[in-house]
Structure formats: C-alpha cells, structure tokens
Amino acid sequence: MDDTKLDDYRQVIETILGEYASLSYSYADIQSEVVFDRNRDRYLWMDIGWDGDRRIHGCLVHIDLIDGKIWIQRDGTEEGIAADLERAGIPKEHIVLGFRPPELRPYTGYAVA
C-alpha cells in the first residue's frame, strides 16, 4: 500500500477517535484522551478519572495499522467503530476485527487478516 493511502487511513482514524474523545461525561470526573503513535501505527482512545470513589482507567478503542490494513484490537463503542471507518470511505476489505477469533472473522464481512 502506498504512503498516501496510509496517511489517509491515519488521518481518518485520528479524526474519528478525536470526535469520540471530545464527548464529555456529565456524571463523573472522567477525561477522555487519545494516544496517537504514528511511528508504530497505534491509536488509542482512553478514559481516565474517577466515578465517585471508583478509579476509571481503560482503553475504549485500540487500533493498529498492520500491513496496510486497519486492525481493530478493542472496540468499546456502541455501534462499532468499523461502521465509522466505513462511512469515512475505508473499504471493508481493509478493516480487520482483530478482537474476533480468527476462525470467526470470515463470517464478519470484514477482512480476515
């Protein structure tokens, strides 16, 4: 895959994660943050803070770019971030649901690897 296409994918991922992270929590002191590592092509959306006396620290979405494909390693969104990637123009055959077992991926409608 050429560098222009990879840069497009990086930008789409960063935009979508940034939009998710910009939504604030009204019920607790929780901040969303995004972590973009373009050198290793890793992208995270994290929630950090406190819900009363309960510590919140977790990864809601983890995406890697591997061999020119978008690998969704973790997806804690309601609809599924794959749908957002599709709406942004990423073809299904370039999206891998890495959180699904390899033997089930052929039935997801997305790339298997």
Side-chain angles (χ1 to χ4, degrees):
M1 174 173 288
D2 64 50
D3 287 340
T4 303
K5 183 65 83 178
L6 279 175
D7 283 337
D8 290 345
Y9 285 7
R10 290 176 183 117
Q11 187 59 50
V12 166
I13 293 166
E14 290 175 6
T15 298
I16 291 171
L17 291 182
E19 289 170 359
Y20 274 117
S22 70
L23 303 173
S24 60
Y25 287 84
S26 60
Y27 65 88
D29 184 23
I30 300 172
Q31 284 72 47
S32 291
E33 61 181 52
V34 290
V35 180
F36 302 147
D37 181 352
R38 279 187 168 225
N39 290 330
R40 293 176 186 85
D41 278 323
R42 293 192 177 111
Y43 305 85
L44 305 172
W45 167 29
M46 306 284 300
D47 273 352
I48 299 168
W50 292 93
D51 184 2
D53 61 355
R54 190 174 133 235
R55 178 68 172 157
I56 303 296
H57 182 269
C59 176
L60 296 171
V61 174
H62 172 182
I63 296 174
D64 293 326
L65 281 171
I66 302 171
D67 296 328
K69 292 185 180 173
I70 296 174
W71 281 70
I72 302 171
Q73 307 289 12
R74 164 99 173 97
D75 187 354
T77 65
E78 287 184 30
E79 181 183 3
I81 198 160
D84 293 314
L85 293 168
E86 283 183 75
R87 281 191 288 276
I90 308 293
K92 289 178 97 167
E93 60 269 12
H94 289 184
I95 301 170
V96 178
L97 304 182
F99 58 89
R100 297 278 183 227
E103 63 272 10
L104 296 181
R105 289 186 202 146
Y107 307 107
T108 64
Y110 293 95
V112 295

